[in-house]
């Protein structure tokens, strides 16, 4: 990026009614439920931080906004700047660009869904490559056992993406579009061009199709060395937690550790990292942060 005015900004969409996780989400937002040892929202936030994004807006419901503010604060403990917007009603993923238009102020963006977890070798390099593409956009495809639950990529005979179909009964491929979208500064204007679908939502697939039709959308596929979790059901929540627990126990490394990313990038110094470690002094997370100082 060329300067502060063109730096990519981040959006975490953490709204919705979360009815697939009832009754547990009657009391707390889905994106604040624990995925093993951290709130779910730490994982998508870590993806934006790995991409080098420091100005981030969290979009959530009027009911849940205070919970997110209490959990995340202003982001200064991680060297980032967090702000908050409310989504009055869940009217589709593309609505996020309309709600965040003033926040973006013409900047390119990376939108990540608050219930998505990404992990894999080379992920940071893929994020950097996506960040460098401007104009245009980048999305990530992932082979899914049941792609009918997602927006599905349609490829031509040469393997180039030519379309994206939302929750098709007969998927044109096995590749789902994950909940991570790098788009240029025209995203809010393009979002205003689309109309609600049959289910009354502004579909992200319709927005992405506009980029695809203009030859401005790059599709990166995440292969065997990557994991993607869309944590929207009780079983998916358990699977994601077990995945994190297994890797952390076997490797002794944290997944989604915001302090580690911030310190590695030079966004916080050793004193700030030490202060964060003291907060968690009585558990393994604090011990891990202390280990980073050594």
């Amino acid at each position: 990026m060329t300067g502060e005015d063109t730096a990519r900004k981040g959006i975490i969409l953490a709204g919705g009614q979360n009815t697939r996780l009832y009754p547990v989400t009657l009391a707390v937002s889905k994106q604040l439920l624990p995925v093993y040892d951290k709130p779910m929202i730490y994982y998508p936030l870590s993806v934006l931080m790995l991409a080098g994004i420091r100005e981030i807006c969290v979009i959530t419901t009027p009911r849940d906004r205070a919970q997110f503010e209490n959990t995340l604060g202003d982001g200064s403990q991680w060297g980032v700047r967090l702000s908050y917007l409310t989504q009055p009603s869940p009217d589709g993923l593309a609505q996020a660009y309309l709600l965040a238009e003033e926040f973006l102020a013409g900047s390119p963006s990376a939108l990540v869904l608050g219930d998505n977890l990404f992990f894999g070798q080379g992920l940071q390099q893929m994020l950097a490559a996506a960040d460098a593409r401007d104009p245009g956009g980048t999305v990530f495809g992932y082979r899914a056992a049941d792609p009918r639950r997602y927006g599905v990529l349609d490829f031509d005979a040469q393997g180039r993406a030519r379309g994206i179909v939302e929750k098709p009964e007969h998927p044109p491929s096995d590749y789902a579009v994950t909940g991570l979208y790098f788009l240029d500064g025209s995203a809010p204007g393009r979002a205003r061009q689309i109309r609600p679908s049959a289910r009354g939502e502004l579909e992200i697939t319709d927005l992405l199709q506009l980029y695809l039709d203009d030859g401005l959308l790059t599709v990166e596929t995440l292969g065997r060395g990557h994991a993607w979790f869309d944590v929207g059901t009780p079983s998916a929540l358990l699977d994601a937690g077990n995945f994190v627990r297994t890797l952390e126990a076997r490797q002794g490394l944290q997944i989604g550790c915001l302090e580690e990313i911030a310190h590695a990038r030079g966004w916080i110094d050793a004193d700030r990292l030490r202060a964060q470690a003291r907060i968690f002094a009585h558990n393994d997370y604090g011990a891990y942060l202390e280990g980073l100082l050594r």
Side-chain angles (χ1 to χ4, degrees):
M1 310 314 294
T2 58
E4 186 67 26
D5 58 333
T6 57
R8 191 175 299 272
K9 297 180 180 180
I11 304 170
I12 302 177
L13 185 55
Q17 296 176 320
N18 306 320
T19 54
R20 289 190 297 165
L21 277 164
Y22 276 4
V24 67
T25 48
L26 289 172
V28 64
S29 169
K30 169 177 66 173
Q31 292 85 2
L32 292 176
L33 293 174
V35 175
Y36 185 48
D37 56 353
K38 303 174 199 71
M40 187 185 299
I41 198 169
Y42 270 44
Y43 300 95
L45 178 53
S46 74
V47 169
L48 297 181
M49 292 173 63
L50 284 171
I53 297 171
R54 301 184 70 175
E55 190 168 355
I56 299 166
C57 177
V58 178
I59 300 178
T60 186
T61 66
R63 185 198 75 166
D64 297 326
R65 177 169 174 165
Q67 296 180 42
F68 284 96
E69 291 176 336
N70 290 336
T71 302
L72 303 175
D74 64 3
S76 59
Q77 67 273 38
W78 304 305
V80 301
R81 183 164 62 184
L82 296 178
S83 57
Y84 300 87
L85 288 171
T86 55
Q87 183 184 34
S89 58
D91 296 326
L93 302 186
Q95 184 191 29
Y97 294 99
L98 304 180
L99 296 172
E101 184 170 14
E102 184 176 345
F103 162 75
L104 294 174
S107 297
S109 62
L111 167 66
V112 61
L113 304 187
D115 60 358
N116 274 217
L117 185 155
F118 295 85
F119 180 82
Q121 182 70 28
L123 178 61
Q124 187 167 344
Q125 289 73 22
M126 295 183 76
L127 297 174
D131 180 52
R133 295 187 187 108
D134 190 23
T138 302
V139 295
F140 299 87
Y142 189 85
R143 188 180 180 92
D146 184 10
R148 293 174 299 175
R149 298 170 47 204
Y150 309 103
V152 180
L153 289 159
D154 181 17
F155 298 100
D156 63 19
Q158 286 71 46
R160 296 179 298 237
R162 62 185 177 188
I164 304 171
V165 188
E166 182 66 26
K167 295 181 174 63
E169 182 62 31
H170 302 287
S173 78
D174 293 327
Y175 281 88
V177 178
T178 69
L180 177 60
Y181 318 93
F182 282 73
L183 298 180
D184 63 21
S186 70
R190 291 175 183 269
R192 283 195 297 273
Q193 297 176 34
I194 65 177
R195 295 292 175 262
S197 65
R199 58 181 188 159
E201 295 190 4
L202 298 177
E203 306 288 358
I204 191 73
T205 47
D206 290 340
L207 175 59
L208 298 177
Q209 189 67 49
L210 294 179
Y211 279 91
L212 199 56
D213 291 344
D214 290 341
L216 291 173
L217 190 68
T218 298
V219 177
E220 297 279 3
T221 55
L222 302 175
R224 289 177 180 266
H226 294 88
W228 168 57
F229 290 88
D230 170 26
V231 190
T233 64
S235 60
L237 181 63
L238 182 62
D239 288 344
N242 286 333
F243 176 82
V244 172
R245 178 187 180 279
T246 299
L247 281 180
E248 290 186 353
R250 288 181 176 271
Q251 297 185 342
L253 299 172
Q254 284 281 331
I255 299 175
C257 181
L258 306 181
E259 289 85 358
E260 181 175 21
I261 297 168
H263 187 250
R265 285 192 165 273
W267 297 349
I268 61 173
D269 60 17
D271 288 339
R272 169 62 79 174
L273 181 59
R274 188 172 292 107
Q276 287 296 106
R278 289 195 198 102
I279 295 173
F280 309 107
H282 300 294
N283 62 29
D284 291 342
Y285 192 78
Y288 183 79
L289 297 184
E290 283 287 353
L292 296 177
L293 292 164
R294 296 191 294 270

